[in-house]
Amino acid sequence: MKELRFDLSQAKTIRRIRQQTDSWSPLAEGQIIAQKYLKPIVCHAGYDVNGVKQAVVWANSGELTGYFEIIDVSTNKQPPGKPSVVYRGKLKKWGRHIWGGNNYIADFSDFKKEGVYWIKLSVKETKETSESYIFEIRRNFYLDLAKKAAKWFYYQRCGVEVPGWHKACHTQDAVILEDGTKIDATGGWHDAGDYGKWIGSGSHGVWALATLAELLLEEGLEKDARAVLDEATWEGKYFCKIYYGKLKTFLQVFTSAKNFQLSDEYPPLENVCIWLGAPEKEPPRVVTLKQALEYYPQTLYLRSHVSASLAKLGRLVSRYDKEFSEKCTSIAKEVFEYVTQSEPTDRDKRSYLLFVSRTTLLGLELYRITGSEKYLRKAEELVQEILSLQDREGFFYMNREKKVKYYFCEHHLVALYEYLKSRPRGDLVVDIEEAFRKWANYIKPLSKLSSFSQVGYIDEKGDVRNLFPRKSSNRFLAAYAWGLATAAILFENREYLEIAEHQIQWILGLNPCDVSMMAGVGAGPGCYHHRYCFIEGHEDGVVPGGVLCGIVGGDGGVFDIGDFRTGNFVVSDRLPVDYPIIDTDARGWTYAYMTNEYWVLNNAWFIMGATQVHRALRKLNI
């Protein structure tokens, strides 16, 4: 039997992503992408009244002389009437780039009037221009986006009817123990554009929703906070169901690969890859304990993070649901004792930074709940371990041997910040602040690679690239937004905050594809990787508030951005290095999961990033 790999000769269908170079004027030397006509690229969702507000303009090989105008589109003035111009500014040269050639910036950060607008260019060189996408300027912009992203989780519910979307699904999911006893594994969230229920991803979602709820409670928005906590509780109760106390772990359900087969030639797949129907039509996921443990090896850092998210959720819902809160805390305590007394597995050692970070979060949450010094002492010990893994340049190491560099924002920085919140005058405050300063200054140059200010990527050879190659990028960019906004809070630094804002704005349309990657906000790619496309009434694939995996960069070679295991290939065929790739050619469904799929981690980190940017704007009194 053949093993299916990415080989064009094995394809059932092939769809190639085409390079966009057809344009209104000659391209600059080395330019790899262009617009068909001159159009300002904006953040489709809009801008915060007090935040950074910029648009990007591409001039190809030429120069532009003229200005830009902001038009109030709510006045409904049509030619020959004069439009309502509310702002006029000069285009500022940014420099030359492989995206768009000569780049210009239209900066209107000093314009602070709420409303609905678009940008119009007035330049001498051409009349082949178009207005920008229509956008809003409003207060609490980032908080509203976080709430929108939070609502997406409701549509992902499993085991229950979601009115207007699907009927009750997977109502017999279970894990069978050695003695034949069944653990009820119904409920939880569908993890992504498929119907898998991955607890590792889910813990990110619960933590992010709880973080948003904390902010909403701080701002007196208890009704909104309750709604967010109710959604987190849906997943939290699933965690409690699948908690297996004997091993102090959380069990995973999935569909056996034996149930599905591509053809007589190719081996079977689990249905998460190829099932294209509504979720209620999919068979139940019933696995044995042995299968669950073998398929999804249990690490200590997984246990820690799921338990930390449960503890945080339990702390916040204690005023509303004491019984559930106590259940969350009880599980978190059991897991803490197990994790801190166990020898790390090989996977924990390879991801040692994640292990110590997530266990720190667990300890800090238990300290907040119980006030017990033993949890704080352990957290302090682990915080010192995190600090020891930072290089003098600012990045961290993933393993104790300091062989694997890790410069992304992840839970190690979240853990340091949470410790600061718990011990604002503790002995480690200065060291933690210095760690944030070094990390932020290491990342800052990576945000200057293009006029869009997205944080770039350092590959295995140490080469700097504009885009993530073959990697879901939006969750990392949103995490950078959290880290840089946190640095802005700690040091009251406006520059860090602006970089943080740009990461969120990139996701929402201020990018070289001029595409919003939050469904239902702005102009999306037109196609989505979600099985809901096959539900009547949702053929367009738009699941409101869902954040897509994001743009990836070409590498000059041939690779598939779709699920090649199905044999339906969506291919980057020798597109230039850093050519921005997202599927915009299909309508409704696409196999291109790498760029166009929804995922719990995307929404979780988007919520984290948008929430922290909102905090930073408030802290800096901007």
Side-chain angles (χ1 to χ4, degrees):
M1 185 178 288
K2 292 183 180 179
E3 180 180 0
L4 185 64
R5 296 182 180 276
F6 177 56
D7 182 336
L8 291 179
S9 68
Q10 295 185 4
K12 293 179 179 178
T13 63
I14 300 173
R15 185 159 57 80
R16 289 179 169 85
I17 303 296
R18 307 294 182 186
Q19 187 173 358
Q20 170 55 44
T21 54
D22 178 29
S23 191
W24 58 277
S25 71
L27 272 57
E29 183 178 355
Q31 184 178 344
I32 63 173
I33 187 172
Q35 294 173 305
K36 293 180 180 179
Y37 39 80
L38 188 61
K39 177 186 177 184
I41 303 173
V42 300
C43 176
H44 295 196
Y47 303 87
D48 192 275
V49 165
N50 295 313
V52 62
K53 307 178 197 71
Q54 293 178 347
V56 172
V57 180
W58 288 348
N60 296 338
S61 62
E63 302 284 332
L64 294 179
T65 52
Y67 53 86
F68 70 95
E69 294 177 328
I70 298 178
I71 311 296
D72 183 347
V73 299
S74 65
T75 59
N76 198 30
K77 291 184 178 179
Q78 299 291 329
K82 293 183 179 180
S84 298
V85 177
V86 295
Y87 185 94
R88 178 177 290 175
K90 293 182 179 180
L91 294 171
K92 299 176 183 178
K93 286 186 179 181
W94 180 87
R96 181 167 288 197
H97 197 274
I98 57 173
W99 302 335
N102 290 324
N103 278 223
Y104 289 79
I105 298 292
D107 193 324
F108 50 105
S109 298
D110 59 340
F111 179 68
K112 299 187 177 185
K113 183 180 179 181
E114 291 186 89
V116 183
Y117 309 99
W118 66 13
I119 293 177
K120 183 177 181 179
L121 297 175
S122 181
V123 297
K124 296 178 181 179
E125 287 73 18
T126 183
K127 291 185 178 180
E128 290 192 55
T129 64
S130 173
E131 293 85 356
S132 73
Y133 193 84
I134 294 172
F135 59 88
E136 286 186 84
I137 296 177
R138 65 180 187 272
R139 299 184 187 279
N140 297 320
F141 171 73
Y142 294 103
L143 181 59
D144 289 345
L145 287 169
K147 291 193 289 185
K148 185 180 291 289
K151 290 178 181 178
W152 172 81
F153 287 89
Y154 172 75
Y155 303 115
Q156 295 295 107
R157 285 190 178 191
C158 178
V160 68
E161 180 182 3
V162 178
W165 289 83
H166 64 76
K167 298 177 182 177
C169 61
H170 305 107
T171 56
Q172 299 177 53
D173 286 2
V175 179
I176 303 174
L177 302 181
E178 300 99 321
D179 62 0
T181 303
K182 282 188 177 181
I183 292 180
D184 177 7
T186 60
W189 295 318
H190 297 143
D191 170 77
D194 53 56
Y195 300 137
K197 295 194 295 190
W198 306 112
I199 52 179
S201 302
S203 60
H204 285 261
V206 172
W207 182 272
L209 290 173
T211 299
L212 172 58
E214 277 186 312
L215 175 60
L216 293 169
L217 288 170
E218 288 173 17
E219 301 209 344
L221 301 172
E222 185 166 1
K223 182 179 179 181
D224 289 344
R226 282 292 303 273
V228 171
L229 288 172
D230 284 348
E231 194 54 54
T233 296
W234 177 261
E235 181 78 351
K237 288 185 175 179
Y238 174 65
F239 290 164
C240 292
K241 280 184 178 182
I242 59 173
Y243 176 65
Y244 185 49
K246 186 176 180 180
L247 295 178
K248 306 297 185 289
T249 195
F250 302 87
L251 301 177
Q252 181 71 56
V253 293
F254 54 92
T255 298
S256 171
K258 296 178 181 178
N259 294 351
F260 292 88
Q261 190 165 314
L262 287 174
S263 69
D264 291 335
E265 284 190 284
Y266 299 126
L269 301 174
E270 55 175 308
N271 75 320
V272 71
C273 303
I274 61 174
W275 184 269
L276 297 181
E280 65 268 21
K281 297 179 181 179
E282 188 181 51
R285 284 77 69 96
V286 180
V287 298
T288 65
L289 176 63
K290 181 181 179 182
Q291 288 173 325
L293 296 176
E294 287 179 350
Y295 187 81
Y296 203 72
Q298 301 295 299
T299 59
L300 297 181
Y301 69 77
L302 173 69
R303 290 175 168 97
S304 287
H305 195 228
V306 177
S307 301
S309 68
L310 272 178
K312 184 167 188 171
L313 175 60
R315 173 170 60 84
L316 292 171
V317 301
S318 60
R319 70 183 81 179
Y320 311 120
D321 190 339
K322 188 174 181 181
E323 182 179 355
F324 174 63
S325 173
E326 290 176 349
K327 178 68 172 176
C328 293
T329 302
S330 174
I331 291 174
K333 286 180 177 179
E334 285 186 15
V335 173
F336 178 86
E337 296 301 326
Y338 178 85
V339 167
T340 55
Q341 295 174 25
S342 298
E343 177 67 21
T345 66
D346 288 342
R347 291 182 67 189
D348 290 311
K349 292 175 182 177
R350 289 195 297 271
S351 300
Y352 187 68
L353 181 63
L354 298 184
F355 165 60
V356 294
S357 303
R358 294 172 180 182
T359 307
T360 301
L361 291 173
L362 175 55
L364 288 172
E365 283 302 323
L366 288 173
Y367 170 65
R368 287 169 174 153
I369 293 168
T370 67
S372 172
E373 289 292 320
K374 81 169 185 177
Y375 297 119
L376 179 61
R377 287 195 298 272
K378 187 62 180 181
E380 287 178 338
E381 175 189 325
L382 294 172
V383 164
Q384 290 174 317
E385 194 74 2
I386 295 170
L387 293 172
S388 74
L389 293 171
Q390 188 177 31
D391 187 85
R392 66 180 63 182
E393 290 187 38
F395 60 83
F396 288 77
Y397 291 99
M398 182 57 76
N399 55 1
R400 267 180 161 172
E401 296 77 20
K402 298 187 176 181
K403 300 292 185 182
V404 180
K405 295 180 180 180
Y406 196 79
Y407 60 90
F408 302 108
C409 177
E410 241 275 9
H411 287 109
H412 54 296
L413 292 172
V414 178
L416 295 180
Y417 179 65
E418 291 295 329
Y419 178 82
L420 282 181
K421 288 166 58 180
S422 296
R423 300 282 286 175
R425 288 179 290 276
D427 295 338
L428 298 175
V429 169
V430 173
D431 291 340
I432 291 173
E433 289 180 345
E434 182 60 20
F436 265 100
R437 190 188 305 276
K438 288 193 296 186
W439 175 81
N441 286 336
Y442 181 81
I443 295 300
K444 186 168 68 172
L446 294 175
S447 72
K448 301 183 183 299
L449 302 177
S450 85
S451 56
F452 297 100
S453 298
Q454 85 289 351
V455 175
Y457 179 82
I458 303 174
D459 66 19
E460 293 78 6
K461 297 178 181 178
D463 295 331
V464 177
R465 293 179 50 169
N466 287 277
L467 294 171
F468 289 65
R470 310 189 193 191
K471 185 186 289 286
S472 303
S473 59
N474 282 341
R475 69 182 179 104
F476 292 104
L477 295 177
Y480 281 131
W482 183 91
L484 290 160
T486 303
I489 291 170
L490 295 177
F491 309 118
E492 298 189 9
N493 184 303
R494 174 72 195 201
E495 185 179 12
Y496 293 152
L497 177 54
E498 289 189 359
I499 299 171
E501 288 187 79
H502 281 304
Q503 309 317 302
I504 300 295
Q505 292 171 0
W506 168 282
I507 294 171
L508 299 167
L510 189 59
N511 57 62
C513 297
D514 196 10
V515 165
S516 173
M517 293 172 279
M518 174 181 267
V521 175
C527 54
Y528 300 86
H529 187 87
H530 201 305
R531 273 67 180 170
Y532 287 179
C533 288
F534 302 93
I535 298 175
E536 184 178 357
H538 299 288
E539 295 86 352
D540 61 1
V542 173
V543 185
V547 178
L548 304 184
C549 287
I551 296 166
V552 300
D555 62 6
V558 180
F559 64 91
D560 185 57
I561 64 171
D563 195 338
F564 69 83
R565 292 170 293 180
T566 67
N568 296 287
F569 295 171
V570 184
V571 178
S572 169
D573 192 353
R574 298 178 179 84
L575 290 172
V577 172
D578 277 342
Y579 184 86
I581 300 168
I582 186 169
D583 189 6
T584 58
D585 296 332
R587 289 294 176 266
W589 166 259
T590 175
Y591 286 98
Y593 81 93
M594 189 183 293
T595 54
N596 294 55
E597 186 173 13
Y598 303 92
W599 192 18
V600 164
L601 262 71
N602 300 336
N603 272 63
W605 278 107
F606 184 92
I607 291 168
M608 293 288 288
T611 297
Q612 200 72 337
V613 169
H614 176 83
R615 284 184 185 275
L617 283 167
R618 187 181 64 182
K619 172 68 183 296
L620 273 61
N621 294 315
I622 297 173

